[in-house]
Amino acid sequence: MKALGRWLGALALTLLVPVAALAGDIKVGLMCPLTGKWASEGLDMKNIVTLLVDDVNAKGGIKGRKVQLVVEDDAGDPRTAALAAQKLASAGVVAVIGTYGSAVTEASQSILDEAELVQIGTGSTSVRLTEKGLKLFFRTCPRDDAQGKSAAEAIKKGGYKAVALLHDNSSYAKGLAEETKAVLEKDGMKVVFYDALTPGERDYTAILTKLKAANPDLVFFTGYYPETGMLLRQKREMGWNVPMMGGDAANHQDLVKIAGNEAATGYFFISPPLPQDMDTPEAKEFLKAFKAKYNTVPVSVWAVLAGDAFKVIEGALEAGKDTPKEMAAWLKELKGMPGLSGNLGFDAKGDRVGEFYRTYKVDATGNFVLQPK
C-alpha cells in the first residue's frame, strides 16, 4: 500500500506539471533595434517596456501570472527583423511589440501574421502597413497620410511658397513625401524639387547642390535623423541658409549631435509630443519612474509608444482576452484608454485614432522647443 501511495503521489505530481506550465509566465515579445544606427531608440524601447513589466510583476502580475519580456534585436534591418520575428513566433509569446522603421516592421508582418500573433508597431507610419487587411496588426503611432496633412499645414502656416521635397526611398520617408506632395499640390502650392538621397552616406554635397539649383524657400527632408543631421551640417558648410524641416523621424536628440548646434538652430519638424511634453497623469508618473531607474529621460516619443503598446496588451490580458483573435477584437473596440502618450484606441484597420502632431523648433542651445498651436 505504501508503494502504491508513493506511485499515486508521483503520478499526481506528473499530472500537475502541465497545469503549472499553463499557469506560468505570460511571455510578451519585443522586437527593437538594439544594434545599428537606431540603437538608442531600441535601448529606450527595451528600457521602457522592461520598466512597465517590472511594475506589473511587482503588483502581482496579470491575474496572478508574472509577465516575461522576450526581446529580439532587429538591428533596424529588414532581413534581421525577419529572423527576429521567426524567433519570437516560436518563443511562446502572446503578442509582439515592434518595431521602429516601416520597412523593418513590414519585413516581420507576414511572419507574425502567419504565426497568428498580434503585432503592435510603434514607430512605423507607412500607410500600406494597415492597408493589407492583416487582422492582427496594430500600431500606436499615426500614419503618414495624417502626418502629410499636418506637414502641409505647417508649411502653409510658415508662409513658404516653393518647397523642395527630399526622401530616402524608405517606405516611411517616401510615403510621407508623396502624401505631403499631394496635399501641397492640391492646395496650389509649388513643389520645385522631388527626389531621393541614399541613406547612410557621408557626403550629401551633390544632392544639396541640386536642391540649391531648384531655388526653394524651404527644404522638407522626410527621412531619419542621422541623414537629417548630415544634411544640416553640410548645408551650413556650403553657406546655404535655406530653412529646412522634417517629419517625426527627425525627433531624436542625436540629430543635434550630428549637425552641431549652429547648423541645427532654426530647424523645425512635426512630431507627436516629446516625452518631456507629455502632460497626462500617466505620463508624469511614468517619466518620474523612468528617471529614477535610468537617471535620464527617453530620447524620443517612439520608444514611449512601445510602452503604450505594452499597456494595451496588458489591458487586453486583464480583460481575459488571451487569444490572438480575442485580443484583436478587444483592441479594435478600445477607445479612450489612458496611455503614456495620450488616450489609446484603434480603428477597424488597426490604426491609432486621435490627433497627435505638434511643431518643434531647435533653439540655439540645441533644445527641441514646442511651438504654439
Side-chain angles (χ1 to χ4, degrees):
M1 289 296 293
K2 287 182 179 179
L4 178 61
R6 286 196 296 271
W7 181 82
L8 289 172
L11 177 62
L13 287 172
T14 302
L15 292 172
L16 281 172
V17 170
V19 176
L22 288 172
D25 290 351
I26 300 171
K27 294 182 179 180
V28 175
L30 171 63
M31 187 167 57
C32 57
L34 295 174
T35 56
K37 65 180 181 179
W38 298 331
S40 58
E41 289 281 0
L43 179 61
D44 267 358
M45 290 171 71
K46 180 182 177 182
N47 286 344
I48 287 168
V49 181
T50 297
L51 178 67
L52 296 175
V53 167
D54 289 347
D55 182 60
V56 166
N57 288 336
K59 295 175 181 176
I62 297 175
K63 295 186 176 295
R65 299 172 64 189
K66 296 290 185 179
V67 178
Q68 179 184 341
L69 185 63
V70 182
V71 183
E72 290 291 341
D73 178 18
D74 60 51
D77 175 74
R79 288 172 295 182
T80 308
L83 294 173
Q86 289 168 0
K87 289 179 181 179
L88 289 172
S90 60
V93 299
V94 297
V96 174
I97 299 167
T99 184
Y100 179 82
S102 294
V104 189
T105 294
E106 189 163 27
S108 68
Q109 277 187 302
S110 60
I111 295 167
L112 296 175
D113 186 67
E114 287 173 11
E116 297 186 341
L117 286 170
V118 167
Q119 179 182 11
I120 305 180
T122 59
S124 307
T125 59
S126 175
V127 170
R128 69 186 186 188
L129 296 180
T130 46
E131 292 295 330
K132 299 178 179 181
L134 300 178
K135 295 181 180 179
L136 302 179
F137 182 79
F138 298 81
R139 53 180 153 194
T140 50
C141 58
R143 294 180 12 154
D144 285 344
D145 50 358
Q147 186 176 177
K149 292 175 184 176
S150 295
E153 285 299 319
I155 291 168
K156 287 188 286 184
K157 186 176 179 181
Y160 301 105
K161 304 298 182 184
V163 182
L165 288 171
L166 179 66
H167 60 89
D168 64 7
N169 267 326
S170 67
S171 298
Y172 156 74
K174 188 174 182 180
L176 175 55
E178 289 174 347
E179 295 292 341
T180 306
K181 184 173 183 285
V183 176
L184 290 175
E185 290 180 340
K186 183 181 177 182
D187 292 346
M189 298 186 70
K190 195 173 182 181
V191 176
V192 297
F193 182 96
Y194 184 87
D195 205 349
L197 55 70
T198 302
E201 292 189 348
R202 304 298 297 174
D203 186 356
Y204 289 116
T205 306
I207 194 73
L208 284 166
T209 301
K210 289 182 181 179
L211 279 163
K212 187 175 182 180
N215 197 31
D217 59 10
L218 175 72
V219 174
F220 181 16
F221 174 57
T222 59
Y224 294 85
Y225 62 88
E227 289 75 27
T228 303
M230 293 292 290
L231 287 167
L232 286 167
R233 189 174 79 191
Q234 291 170 13
K235 182 171 71 70
R236 183 176 183 275
E237 288 171 353
M238 63 188 288
W240 190 29
N241 297 318
V242 67
M244 184 169 156
M245 73 171 285
D248 50 23
N251 186 347
H252 196 292
Q253 200 62 44
D254 282 356
L255 178 149
V256 178
K257 294 179 183 177
I258 296 166
N261 281 10
E262 290 185 4
T265 300
Y267 173 80
F268 66 100
F269 61 89
I270 60 165
S271 173
L274 289 166
Q276 62 265 30
D277 294 320
M278 299 186 306
D279 57 3
T280 66
E282 291 77 15
K284 290 179 179 178
E285 183 180 348
F286 157 74
L287 289 170
K288 183 179 179 181
F290 188 91
K291 192 168 185 179
K293 183 167 184 176
Y294 301 113
N295 198 33
T296 186
V297 294
V299 293
S300 79
V301 70
W302 306 112
V304 176
L305 297 182
D308 278 338
F310 177 76
K311 297 291 280 185
V312 296
I313 291 170
E314 177 193 356
L317 293 170
E318 287 284 7
K321 312 302 180 183
D322 53 7
T323 70
K325 288 185 179 179
E326 289 177 335
M327 186 178 290
W330 187 86
L331 290 172
K332 287 178 181 178
E333 294 295 324
L334 182 66
K335 299 291 184 292
M337 174 183 171
L340 304 180
S341 63
N343 288 340
L344 297 170
F346 303 93
D347 64 17
K349 292 181 179 180
D351 285 313
R352 181 170 177 169
V353 295
E355 175 57 50
F356 312 102
Y357 285 105
R358 304 290 299 276
T359 299
Y360 283 86
K361 184 174 282 190
V362 182
D363 68 11
T365 59
N367 291 316
F368 295 168
V369 181
L370 181 64
Q371 302 299 293
K373 288 185 178 180

